[in-house]
Amino acid sequence: QVQLVESGGGLVQAGGSLRLSCVASGRIFSINVMGWYRQAPGKERNLVATISSGGSTNYADSVKGRFTISGDNAKMYLQMNSLKSEDTAVYYCNGRGRQYSYWGQGTQVTVSS
């Protein structure tokens, strides 16, 4: 089992910045890819960014150039700059291995326009 705990969400004005953190514990050696996903009210949960154990990163088109993912299996970050109202969502940390996918409880990010 892997436990994931997010922190760093909050209320910010449009154009501002936030940094999300995700701390992993348990069998973290089983994780190959860590990522951030988000879910806005009434919408599906969508990919924001991922980082592999080798350091390769992947971003949703909507956040490219504004968000930066970093870290490793133990601790992961999402630096969010130039935030927009459409970035408002619950942000979830995800850890994926060969057999299992783990989720954190989520942290709310609200961007006011």
Side-chain angles (χ1 to χ4, degrees), residues 51-99:
I51 184 166
S52 72
S53 56
S56 298
T57 58
N58 180 52
Y59 295 92
D61 287 343
S62 59
V63 306
K64 281 180 182 177
R66 300 189 298 122
F67 291 10
T68 303
I69 190 171
S70 62
D72 53 33
N73 288 7
K75 201 173 276 190
M76 180 179 62
Y77 306 96
L78 185 68
Q79 178 66 43
M80 306 186 294
N81 298 328
S82 302
L83 283 161
K84 305 175 181 179
S85 57
E86 51 262 45
D87 295 317
T88 295
V90 178
Y91 284 70
Y92 295 91
C93 174
N94 173 263
R96 189 170 75 242
R98 285 189 177 184
Q99 289 183 294

